[in-house]
Amino acid sequence: MRVITLSRQFGSGGSEIAKHVSEKLGIRYVDKAILAEAASQSGIAKEHFENADEKRTNSFLFSLAAAHYGGSVAPVQLSDIITDDKLFIHTADAVKRLAGEPCIVVGRCADDILSDRPILRVYVYASMESRVKRIAKLYDLSEKAAVTLIKKTDKKRANYYNFYTSKTWGDAQNYDLCINSDTLGVEGTAQTICAFAEACEHAEK
């Protein structure tokens, strides 16, 4: 069984779907473990990876600092500054290590990071209505607050993905399977992904 990468809109149930796929196919579920692995191997506190997780924040400020000080006299060593780019490099290395065996990797540009390997790239999306209901219930929010959170989170994920991959997040051409989780629900969507993965395995034989 090849590695599966799963990108998802916020509130589409993607992480839950990935867990079901993991259980059904008997492969590892890889999500937050990426952050722990990156922290462990880099020696950088896990909190830094959590704060920058699938977000892009401080590289512009770092670039300004680097340009101003010219890499010479500076109040701190620029090599010691923890930038988004440095965190991404460690995160990418962690993804590669964890994907050394069959697994399903959630987010973190894994579809692009692992593009030199035989992987199955999945994108899960859903209607705004169903996403709002799920997020409002999950985080105990009003519908208005849920909409705001969804839009902000999707924007952060898109900016992160688009910057580090030079591709467009959610563009069907980047994936092998795009699926609307509204149609079959979490369980049915997971079953469909499993069936597709197994069909791909048979097609290769």
Side-chain angles (χ1 to χ4, degrees):
M1 178 61 64
R2 67 175 65 188
V3 170
I4 300 172
T5 63
L6 189 146
S7 301
R8 73 287 184 222
Q9 288 184 327
F10 186 60
S12 65
S15 295
E16 187 179 355
I17 290 167
K19 290 178 182 178
H20 281 273
V21 171
S22 167
E23 295 170 359
K24 292 177 183 299
L25 295 181
I27 59 178
R28 186 178 181 183
Y29 169 79
V30 177
D31 189 349
K32 297 297 183 182
I34 295 170
L35 308 183
E37 173 71 12
S40 174
Q41 293 300 314
S42 68
I44 298 172
K46 185 180 176 183
E47 289 74 17
H48 290 294
F49 290 96
E50 293 174 338
N51 291 334
D53 192 23
E54 294 190 285
K55 296 191 292 287
R56 190 156 169 78
T57 54
N58 65 14
S59 284
F60 178 65
L61 295 178
F62 173 74
S63 297
L64 286 180
H68 179 72
Y69 292 109
S72 55
V73 180
V76 295
Q77 291 296 316
L78 291 180
S79 60
D80 293 333
I81 295 176
I82 300 173
T83 66
D84 289 343
D85 297 332
K86 182 180 290 187
L87 293 173
F88 177 78
I89 290 170
H90 289 302
T91 298
D93 287 341
V95 168
K96 292 176 181 178
R97 286 193 295 271
L98 293 171
E101 59 183 9
C103 61
I104 180 164
V105 185
V106 178
R108 286 125 191 139
C109 303
D111 57 290
D112 190 72
I113 292 169
L114 302 173
S115 60
D116 61 338
R117 307 184 190 186
I119 60 175
L120 175 61
R121 304 164 300 168
V122 177
Y123 181 77
V124 177
Y125 63 100
S127 67
M128 179 58 79
E129 180 181 2
S130 66
R131 293 162 67 196
V132 168
K133 288 181 180 178
R134 178 178 283 113
I135 294 304
K137 181 179 180 180
L138 184 62
Y139 294 100
D140 192 24
L141 300 173
S142 67
E143 288 192 0
K144 183 178 180 179
V147 169
T148 299
L149 180 58
I150 288 169
K151 289 182 177 179
K152 285 185 177 180
T153 304
D154 277 353
K155 184 176 182 179
K156 289 175 182 177
R157 288 179 179 175
N159 288 341
Y160 182 85
Y161 183 91
N162 296 350
F163 183 87
Y164 286 114
T165 70
S166 297
K167 298 176 182 177
T168 301
W169 184 71
D171 186 340
Q173 296 183 76
N174 299 330
Y175 312 98
D176 302 301
L177 176 66
C178 295
I179 186 165
N180 185 343
S181 58
D182 286 347
T183 306
L184 298 173
V186 169
E187 180 67 21
T189 299
Q191 290 179 351
T192 300
I193 293 172
C194 291
F196 188 81
E198 291 170 347
C200 289
E201 291 291 316
H202 289 307
E204 292 176 353
K205 294 180 180 179

